[in-house]
Amino acid sequence: MIKQAYFQGKNKKRRYFEGWYFKCISVDRKHAIAIIPGMAIDPQGKKHAFIQVINAVNGKTWYHHFPYSEFNARSDEFDVEIENNSFNAQGLSLNVDTAEGCIKGRLTFDTIHPFPTGPGHPGIMGPFGLLPFMECYHAIIHLYHEIKGDIELDGEILDFNGGVGYIEKDYGRSFPKTYLWLQASHFETRNASFVFSRANIPFLGIEFPGFFAYFTDFNGITQRFATYNFSRLKKWEVDTEKGTCAGELEGPNGALAFTAQMASGGRLRAPVDGLMDREIVESITAKVWVRLTNNHGDVIFESASSEAGMEICLDEGVASNQESE
């Protein structure tokens, strides 16, 4: 079974990227940042490493560029180093001081809830994650963890003690041209984790729509909705101008309805054939509402989060779908 958290790009020569996404929210919700270490190889084979940072409070982003010689990641363990910075399942350590800006500090993670994998459950992409030649592979590493430590970001101390975090990653050639992504951990009623993504997926000369959603409250409620387990996206609406989306899903064990509203965000770099020159707007203070029901129609969870991650990258301004997929 592929250990997707580990480095997958050891033998890649061109048109490749790999990045790990660490989302960090403070206990008072005054601080929200995402830190993305990674590497990229362009179509000519030129390599570099990077650490991207987004500060949700002011929407400011940083792209710290490093020579590829400073990148070291293990293919038999989740362990990434870029110059004097390290990232793994237990925490991260930052010591960046470049012309772009400065970020320093150390965060450690405990009360970790990893995404469950095993025989028959290779990852959030299901069997699609095992197919070769996919444009982009997506993996969830930690659904939820608690944080200790603080970060100094351009002279400001951000206290993350008692906060919560999330880790995922992407790797492959390019981000999908058309996609939507949501992720929320901070719900008003109780701890829970929700992630949803829908994308048009090119594969062997054709293109098909695919989606997945995963919800857990870490206390007995866990639901997975995906193209590969015969779930249906019954209703789907997205408006890029308003920054909103809504959906209703039906799966083997129940149904899930959600709405989301984009908040102010920052511009991040994303890969196209290994070139990190596409700009996407990401918010990590979006508002998401989720309602989960069982097969009897009973509401088993309903709550909202105001510290959700959200990206909308669609060609059309307004799209809707009232049919099953």
Side-chain angles (χ1 to χ4, degrees):
M1 185 176 68
I2 298 173
K3 299 289 189 180
Q4 291 183 295
Y6 305 172
F7 182 47
Q8 305 294 314
K10 181 179 179 181
N11 299 316
K12 300 297 183 180
K13 304 299 183 183
R14 56 181 57 84
R15 292 186 173 91
Y16 184 79
F17 79 96
E18 191 159 349
W20 293 258
Y21 176 96
F22 292 75
K23 178 184 173 186
C24 308
I25 309 291
S26 66
V27 66
D28 59 9
R29 307 192 185 189
K30 291 183 179 179
H31 306 303
I33 64 172
I35 302 163
I36 310 167
M39 53 78 72
I41 316 175
D42 71 15
Q44 286 70 48
K46 185 178 179 180
K47 303 179 179 180
H48 79 278
F50 61 83
I51 299 175
Q52 291 201 74
V53 182
I54 178 171
N55 184 351
V57 174
N58 55 22
K60 187 175 179 180
T61 58
W62 296 258
Y63 190 93
H64 299 283
H65 189 286
F66 298 89
Y68 189 75
S69 58
E70 297 292 344
F71 178 83
N72 183 32
R74 297 184 59 168
S75 56
D76 61 349
E77 186 178 340
F78 176 21
D79 185 47
V80 180
E81 295 182 357
I82 301 175
E83 203 173 67
N84 298 317
N85 308 273
S86 61
F87 310 85
N88 54 52
Q90 288 72 49
L92 59 87
S93 178
L94 293 161
N95 187 16
V96 179
D97 191 354
T98 69
E100 181 78 11
C102 178
I103 179 169
K104 298 181 179 181
R106 178 171 177 80
L107 303 179
T108 58
F109 308 146
D110 56 23
T111 317
I112 294 170
H113 294 273
F115 185 82
T117 58
H121 297 284
I124 191 61
M125 290 180 66
F128 293 114
L130 303 176
L131 295 176
F133 313 120
M134 297 289 283
E135 177 184 54
C136 184
Y137 297 89
H138 186 81
I140 299 173
I141 302 171
H142 287 180
L143 288 160
Y144 178 95
H145 57 239
E146 295 179 0
I147 304 174
K148 295 178 181 177
D150 52 52
I151 294 291
E152 181 182 350
L153 183 59
D154 279 357
E156 180 185 4
I157 302 298
L158 311 181
D159 183 357
F160 287 101
N161 286 288
V164 302
Y166 166 88
I167 309 174
E168 66 175 32
K169 73 176 290 189
D170 292 281
Y171 59 99
R173 297 190 309 275
S174 307
F175 269 18
K177 183 179 179 181
T178 299
Y179 74 94
L180 184 139
W181 168 83
L182 298 171
Q183 190 281 323
S185 302
H186 247 114
F187 284 91
E188 294 173 351
T189 55
R190 62 182 186 268
N191 290 339
S193 182
F194 168 66
V195 60
F196 170 84
S197 184
R198 183 188 187 275
N200 288 345
I201 303 167
F203 182 69
L204 298 178
I206 64 172
E207 188 174 276
F208 64 93
F211 71 90
F212 61 73
Y214 188 89
F215 176 89
T216 181
D217 72 345
F218 314 112
N219 194 32
I221 300 177
T222 297
Q223 295 274 19
R224 186 191 298 238
F225 305 83
T227 306
Y228 55 81
N229 76 348
F230 306 107
S231 297
R232 296 184 299 162
L233 185 55
K234 288 184 60 181
K235 293 184 179 180
W236 169 248
E237 295 181 357
V238 59
D239 188 325
T240 56
E241 293 182 0
K242 295 180 179 178
T244 60
C245 70
E248 294 183 15
L249 302 100
E250 282 189 352
N253 300 307
L256 186 146
F258 67 90
T259 62
Q261 171 67 64
M262 190 88 168
S264 60
R267 294 187 176 274
L268 296 177
R269 295 196 201 178
V272 178
D273 277 340
L275 283 167
M276 299 294 293
D277 57 2
R278 177 183 179 187
E279 282 195 344
I280 58 174
V281 176
E282 177 180 320
S283 170
I284 46 179
T285 54
K287 300 183 186 303
V288 172
W289 167 85
V290 174
R291 183 183 66 218
L292 191 68
T293 55
N294 60 23
N295 278 333
H296 303 291
D298 303 319
V299 176
I300 55 178
F301 179 89
E302 183 172 6
S303 189
S305 170
S306 56
E307 281 79 33
M310 185 172 182
E311 296 173 6
I312 301 178
C313 295
L314 301 180
D315 291 336
E316 62 272 27
V318 180
S320 66
N321 177 24
Q322 300 296 327
E323 298 179 359
S324 302
E325 294 186 350

